[in-house]
């Protein structure tokens, strides 16, 4: 296990108040490692969120580094744009990519960490050929498309498998989970080996998003033994 492994919290602004995003981001910033930006094109998933231009302005104005999660078709053409715009991490979906290796390189060449996401039905083994080139793996714990869905605990064997493979590689590849993360579910995911946690509704529905993030972190730290 890499010594630099630690718990990272990545609040998603998908269900935050869009009319006042800068304030919504400030509410979570002090307790967040990365700001999770869900980009949806209404083709890869049945929902439309931030355009490239809107994403650029969020990335430029965010006080914390942005973790862009691209739920779009043709990421091979466009993923690098989010890196170029200044995102710290860019995640694209394996199911949408024809040339993952080229897309990983394009993201890295533009200065971002490269990551691949897999939907619930996609087995981890499909990611194996790319693992050594990645900075993060995202195991979806809901069907991508919407916030507020229930956590799929049946994804935990996939998270454990990813943890085993990443540890065997001895590289500091972050392992992220996204969907349904809350005080009820974060410990299960942390025990299975996740170390980066996206949380949308749990954070923004809380009276104090910052307190909720502190609580989530405490639970993940105690379940994982990491800091
Ligand atoms: C779903 C998105 C998630 C979403 C998570 O497709 O990728 O990032 O915002 O929302 P919650 O935490 O409410 O499941
Ligand atoms: Zn997401």
């Amino acid at each position: 296990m890499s010594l630099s492994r630690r718990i990272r919290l990545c609040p998603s602004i998908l269900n935050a108040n869009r009319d006042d995003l800068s304030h919504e981001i400030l509410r979570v910033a002090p307790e967040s490692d990365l700001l999770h930006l869900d980009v949806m094109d209404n083709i890869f998933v049945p929902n439309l969120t931030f355009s490239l231009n809107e994403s650029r302005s969020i990335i430029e104005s965010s006080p914390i580094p942005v973790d862009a999660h691209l739920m779009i078709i043709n990421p091979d053409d466009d993923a690098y744009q989010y890196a170029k715009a200044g995102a710290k991490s860019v995640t694209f979906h394996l199911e949408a990519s024809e040339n993952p290796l080229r897309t990983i390189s394009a993201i890295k060449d533009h200065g971002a960490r490269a990551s691949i996401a897999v939907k619930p039905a996609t087995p981890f083994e499909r990611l194996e050929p790319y693992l050594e080139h990645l900075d993060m793996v995202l195991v979806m714990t809901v069907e991508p498309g919407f916030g507020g869905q229930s956590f799929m605990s049946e994804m935990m064997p996939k998270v454990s498998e990813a943890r085993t493979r990443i540890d065997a590689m001895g590289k500091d590849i972050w392992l992220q989970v996204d969907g349904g993360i809350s005080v009820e579910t974060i410990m299960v995911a942390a025990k299975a080996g996740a170390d980066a946690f996206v949380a949308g509704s749990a954070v923004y529905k809380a009276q104090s998003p910052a307190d909720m993030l502190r609580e989530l972190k405490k639970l993940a730290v105690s379940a994982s033994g990491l800091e």
Side-chain angles (χ1 to χ4, degrees), residues 75-164:
D76 302 336
D77 295 340
D78 295 331
Y80 81 95
Q81 297 269 22
Y82 296 82
K84 201 173 160 193
K88 160 114 177 167
S89 172
V90 178
T91 300
F92 61 97
H93 268 266
L94 184 60
E95 302 85 1
S97 174
E98 278 172 20
N99 197 336
L101 281 181
R102 204 183 62 200
T103 302
I104 291 168
S105 295
I107 292 169
K108 289 183 174 176
D109 287 349
H110 287 85
R113 296 172 60 91
S115 157
I116 295 187
V118 282
K119 297 208 279 186
T122 305
F124 178 75
E125 62 184 42
R126 281 198 48 208
L127 253 174
E128 287 263 4
Y130 314 109
L131 197 54
E132 62 176 311
H133 305 283
L134 291 172
D135 297 303
M136 183 170 84
V137 167
L138 166 52
V139 174
M140 292 301 299
T141 43
V142 296
E143 272 314 323
F146 300 93
Q149 304 182 75
S150 300
F151 177 76
M152 296 170 73
S153 56
E154 62 271 36
M155 292 301 119
M156 293 308 98
K158 199 197 281 190
V159 174
S160 303
E161 190 185 352
R163 169 53 51 212
T164 304

Side-chain angles (χ1 to χ4, degrees), residues 10 12 14 35-41 44-45 49-50 55 59 66-72 75 79 82 87-95 115-120 136-146 176-179 198:
C10 321
S12 160
L14 182 61
L35 185 76
H36 187 81
L37 180 68
D38 287 303
V39 177
M40 307 188 188
D41 64 357
F44 182 70
V45 288
T49 59
F50 307 101
S55 300
I59 293 166
V66 169
D67 163 35
H69 175 196
L70 308 182
M71 287 158 275
I72 58 172
Y82 296 82
K88 160 114 177 167
S89 172
V90 178
T91 300
F92 61 97
H93 268 266
L94 184 60
E95 302 85 1
S115 157
I116 295 187
V118 282
K119 297 208 279 186
M136 183 170 84
V137 167
L138 166 52
V139 174
M140 292 301 299
T141 43
V142 296
E143 272 314 323
F146 300 93
Q176 190 177 55
V177 283
D178 180 6
V198 178

Side-chain angles (χ1 to χ4, degrees), residues 13 15 18 22 24 82 84 118 125 133 159 175 181 197:
I13 51 170
N15 286 335
R18 295 277 174 89
S22 47
E24 291 285 73
Y82 296 82
K84 201 173 160 193
V118 282
E125 62 184 42
H133 305 283
V159 174
L175 177 50
I181 298 297
F197 302 85

